[in-house]
Amino acid sequence: MGKPTETRRAEIILGALSAAADLGLGAATTQAIADRVGIGQSTIFRHYKSRDEIFAAAIESIGANMLRALEPYFSGGDSAAVRLKEMIHAQLIFVSNNRGLPRILFSDSLHIDSPILKQNVQRVMRNYSSRVVQLVQEGIEAGEFDKQLDPTETVRYLMMLIQGLLMRWSLFDFNFDLEAEAAPLWDFFSRILKAE
Amino acid sequence: MGKPTETRRAEIILGALSAAADLGLGAATTQAIADRVGIGQSTIFRHYKSRDEIFAAAIESIGANMLRALEPYFSGGDSAAVRLKEMIHAQLIFVSNNRGLPRILFSDSLHIDSPILKQNVQRVMRNYSSRVVQLVQEGIEAGEFDKQLDPTETVRYLMMLIQGLLMRWSLFDFNFDLEAEAAPLWDFFSRILKAE
DNA sequence: TATATTAGCGATTCATTAATCGCTTTTGAG
DNA sequence: CTCAAAAGCGATTAATGAATCGCTAATATA
């Protein structure tokens, strides 16, 4: 036989994300995934019961990776403002290196077909949100940010900004430097945060 | 024979948008569209050469309708701030009544498959953007908004906010009142605009 | 080393769906 | 009123893609 199934499962997730990045989630067929992994189409089903299961696992994986990449900023020694700024930067770098993520975010498979995928994404978003809210709260308490701000609301709008940016990036075929958007985005967003 | 083709073409566009709203763009099959119009699946092709053509026309149509709905705010007699606020409100009302629009915006058909659809959407966005930039410019010149603002940049972020909001709305199955988001969104956004 | 287990494959099945075709029905222009 | 053009339909085609099946080959373990 070939490699042990745990290795293969991980490879299949990578193949699925790679295929989704290039072709879109809908066109990331089991054949396309198998090609990237270097195995036959039918072999996919030795490791996952269905195609949906693959993408459920893929979202799980990429969500966990993103949260892991941002973890340092939720608890470092810098000021809240610096950490928030750098977290946004780190997030855009992460997405730059994981183009499958916006493709999943803006696929109708996510928005319609699969309640499981949707729940996974919503869970990751809630998780992310609650940590960033904490960070904003710290900033408010430290007097760095406007005391009048509602942290939850503020973070919601930050997420909208980032999602809107990713939407644009995906729509324009990834043809601008996403990381370079971090600085101007921060300039804009921090106008809101400014303590009077 | 049945109705004249121009009537049918319009009906098919409505059916396509309705199907896309309910089922997503990918699952809005020619059969689903035909069902809504009340004609046979094959009859669709008497009026449009291909499925893609239908959605190209649908985007064209919905884009034009949206711009028409917003037209009053680009040139009314009120202050720029009031018009901008009301334009955002009107836009959210429009999208509430045209759920096919976010479904199209967040479909992989748009992001991947069809360069034509993509170009149509980009054109509508540019059109929209240039008018809103004008409006912001007026506000700046009238001293209502901060003179330091870059109008183009500012409008880009407004669009990101709105797109992010629509993304959220679609992801949460349209289960919150989109129109009600206009006021808090304005509260947030207008903090940016404030002349010092 | 013997053997049960698991990974892998090619061929096949089954479902879906856009698009075509031949034929029928309706309509409107002359 | 006539008849050509247009609208409509059911059946069919062709392509695609997820999932199944029977078989083979590699591996772990006893």
Side-chain angles (χ1 to χ4, degrees):
Chain A
M1 67 183 164
K3 304 191 182 178
T5 192
E6 282 176 33
T7 310
R8 276 297 191 224
R9 283 174 68 95
E11 287 178 2
I12 288 170
I13 285 180
L14 289 180
L17 288 172
S18 157
D22 294 347
L23 311 170
L25 184 46
T29 63
T30 53
Q31 183 66 63
I33 297 170
D35 288 349
R36 280 156 207 260
V37 179
I39 57 181
Q41 182 258 341
S42 61
T43 307
I44 291 280
F45 295 91
R46 288 271 177 225
H47 304 286
Y48 288 99
K49 261 182 78 110
S50 71
R51 180 178 176 277
D52 280 354
E53 228 177 56
I54 297 171
F55 283 103
I59 288 177
E60 198 76 30
S61 158
I62 203 169
N65 286 344
M66 193 182 82
L67 288 177
R68 196 173 313 123
L70 303 184
E71 202 62 55
Y73 305 98
F74 293 132
S75 58
D78 290 321
S79 74
V82 167
R83 282 185 288 142
L84 186 53
K85 177 179 180 173
E86 290 184 351
M87 187 214 69
I88 292 172
H89 187 209
Q91 191 175 3
L92 295 187
I93 291 176
F94 180 87
V95 177
S96 284
N97 298 325
N98 291 273
R99 300 178 171 198
L101 194 136
R103 292 307 195 199
I104 289 172
L105 244 32
F106 309 125
S107 70
D108 34 15
S109 307
L110 172 64
H111 286 251
I112 302 272
D113 295 346
S114 174
I116 301 142
L117 293 196
K118 195 180 289 203
Q119 281 173 358
N120 278 2
V121 169
Q122 287 178 1
R123 220 190 47 245
V124 171
M125 280 171 57
R126 270 199 305 276
N127 216 318
Y128 168 89
S129 170
S130 71
R131 285 160 188 270
V132 183
V133 166
Q134 186 110 21
L135 187 48
V136 170
Q137 196 113 42
E138 286 177 38
I140 292 174
E141 281 162 12
E144 297 177 63
F145 304 149
D146 187 347
K147 282 198 161 27
Q148 307 238 309
L149 285 174
D150 175 346
T152 306
E153 185 100 338
T154 305
V155 169
R156 267 205 7 210
Y157 288 114
L158 173 60
M159 290 176 73
M160 288 183 199
L161 280 170
I162 292 174
Q163 283 161 11
L165 176 58
L166 297 189
M167 153 85 189
R168 208 179 196 66
W169 191 55
S170 171
L171 196 60
F172 283 81
D173 291 315
F174 308 140
N175 71 359
F176 60 84
D177 182 1
L178 188 62
E179 182 183 350
E181 294 293 319
L185 179 62
W186 175 254
D187 288 344
F188 176 86
F189 184 67
S190 58
R191 287 176 66 110
I192 301 290
L193 300 173
K194 282 257 160 51
E196 306 286 305
Chain B
M1 68 185 163
K3 306 193 181 178
T5 192
E6 282 174 33
T7 310
R8 275 297 190 226
R9 283 173 67 95
E11 287 178 2
I12 288 170
I13 285 180
L14 289 180
L17 288 172
S18 157
D22 295 346
L23 311 169
L25 185 45
T29 62
T30 54
Q31 183 66 61
I33 297 169
D35 287 349
R36 279 155 207 260
V37 179
I39 57 179
Q41 182 257 343
S42 62
T43 308
I44 293 280
F45 295 91
R46 287 271 179 229
H47 304 287
Y48 287 98
K49 262 182 76 113
S50 71
R51 181 178 175 276
D52 281 354
E53 228 178 54
I54 297 171
F55 283 103
I59 288 177
E60 198 76 29
S61 158
I62 204 168
N65 286 345
M66 193 181 83
L67 288 177
R68 196 174 312 124
L70 303 184
E71 201 63 53
Y73 306 98
F74 293 132
S75 59
D78 289 321
S79 73
V82 167
R83 283 185 287 145
L84 186 52
K85 177 181 179 173
E86 291 184 350
M87 187 214 70
I88 292 172
H89 188 209
Q91 191 174 2
L92 295 186
I93 291 176
F94 181 87
V95 177
S96 284
N97 297 323
N98 291 272
R99 301 179 170 194
L101 194 138
R103 292 306 195 200
I104 290 172
L105 244 34
F106 309 125
S107 70
D108 34 16
S109 307
L110 173 65
H111 286 251
I112 302 274
D113 295 345
S114 173
I116 300 143
L117 293 196
K118 196 180 290 203
Q119 281 173 358
N120 278 2
V121 169
Q122 287 178 2
R123 220 190 46 244
V124 170
M125 281 171 56
R126 270 199 306 275
N127 216 318
Y128 168 89
S129 169
S130 71
R131 285 160 187 270
V132 184
V133 166
Q134 186 111 22
L135 187 47
V136 170
Q137 196 114 42
E138 286 177 38
I140 292 174
E141 281 161 11
E144 296 177 65
F145 304 149
D146 188 347
K147 283 198 160 27
Q148 309 238 309
L149 286 174
D150 175 345
T152 306
E153 185 101 337
T154 305
V155 169
R156 265 202 12 204
Y157 288 113
L158 173 60
M159 291 176 71
M160 288 182 199
L161 279 169
I162 292 174
Q163 283 162 11
L165 176 59
L166 297 188
M167 154 86 188
R168 209 180 195 67
W169 192 55
S170 171
L171 196 60
F172 283 82
D173 290 315
F174 307 140
N175 70 359
F176 61 85
D177 183 1
L178 188 63
E179 183 184 351
E181 295 292 321
L185 180 61
W186 175 254
D187 289 345
F188 176 86
F189 184 66
S190 58
R191 288 176 66 109
I192 302 291
L193 300 172
K194 283 256 161 52
E196 306 286 307

